[in-house]
Amino acid sequence: MGANLANKLGQGLEPQQFIDGMTKNQEKFLDYYNAFQWESDEQKEFFESVSNRDDLRCLIIAADWCGDVVRNIPVVFRALENSGMPVEVLIKEEHPDVMAQFLTDGGESIPVVIFADTGGFTLGTWGPRPKHVQDVLRRFKAENPDRTAEGYDDRLKVARAEMIAQYGEGYGYQHTIVRELRDLVSGL
């Protein structure tokens, strides 16, 4: 970590601008956004208490075509909306320099939620998906390092189906994201 994004602060879209500008998946994004419910009052109060800190900024690398963005960023928006923390979205294709600094296991996976200080120094990141879902892909890549191997695409389809199954039915996965974000923010 430690990347400095000072030159990107103030360059992104506010959450509502991102939503309004979506040309793909807006309805599904809003379904996830509107379905959000706090797991507990204590979780909600934690994120509201972050408003006592004026040293944190959040930058999110995203794009409206990405299924993980559509599923996960509504949760991030809702968790942070009363935190007082400035939140900006950097569109992946418009900020390749930022994407190159925040690869996931060597690849360009989004979303990436970046927490930085007021000087733009990166303090921590989350994404592109909950850890237990990402672990499925990590395991797949470890077991299938050769993308040109026979059957690779079929095994990848199975892994992607398992990832979707790991999200589970309904919106319960949203609580996992909130817990992971809270753990991260608590340590900043």
Side-chain angles (χ1 to χ4, degrees):
M1 302 253 187
N4 187 303
L5 300 174
N7 64 330
K8 296 296 180 177
L9 294 175
Q11 301 299 308
L13 301 171
E14 293 180 7
Q16 191 61 53
Q17 290 176 309
F18 175 75
I19 294 168
D20 292 344
M22 292 179 82
T23 59
K24 297 179 178 81
N25 301 310
Q26 185 184 54
E27 186 176 329
K28 191 67 176 162
F29 187 98
L30 289 171
D31 287 346
Y32 287 116
Y33 182 87
N34 292 325
F36 179 85
Q37 293 184 4
W38 289 101
E39 185 176 22
S40 67
D41 287 341
E42 195 266 335
Q43 288 285 44
K44 181 179 179 187
E45 290 164 6
F46 168 81
F47 283 96
E48 289 172 348
S49 77
V50 174
S51 66
N52 295 326
R53 296 184 62 177
D54 62 359
D55 62 325
L56 295 176
R57 306 289 181 266
C58 179
L59 295 165
I60 302 169
I61 307 170
D64 63 2
W65 51 261
C66 175
D68 287 311
V69 167
V70 170
R71 182 182 295 263
N72 299 333
I73 292 306
V75 182
V76 176
F77 282 177
R78 292 298 302 268
L80 297 179
E81 69 187 358
N82 292 318
S83 70
M85 187 185 312
V87 177
E88 300 178 55
V89 178
L90 301 175
I91 304 300
K92 175 188 181 291
E93 291 80 6
E94 297 172 10
H95 299 274
D97 55 324
V98 178
M99 183 74 256
Q101 294 178 70
F102 295 93
L103 302 178
T104 301
D105 300 328
E108 293 187 358
S109 295
I110 55 174
V112 179
V113 179
I114 305 161
F115 293 98
D117 65 15
T118 56
F121 285 98
T122 302
L123 303 172
T125 63
W126 180 91
R129 52 192 70 88
K131 183 184 179 317
H132 73 283
V133 178
Q134 183 64 20
D135 285 346
V136 173
L137 189 58
R138 283 193 174 109
R139 187 173 56 251
F140 169 81
K141 286 183 175 185
E143 294 169 359
N144 297 278
D146 183 1
R147 298 178 90 149
T148 62
E150 187 175 329
Y152 179 89
D153 290 337
D154 292 334
R155 291 188 296 278
L156 181 57
K157 286 178 186 173
V158 170
R160 286 188 175 146
E162 184 181 344
M163 290 169 65
I164 290 169
Q166 287 295 320
Y167 273 111
E169 294 292 323
Y171 303 102
Y173 77 94
Q174 293 185 341
H175 301 308
T176 301
I177 293 173
V178 170
R179 286 190 298 268
E180 290 179 0
L181 288 172
R182 179 179 177 164
D183 289 347
L184 178 59
V185 171
S186 294
L188 302 180

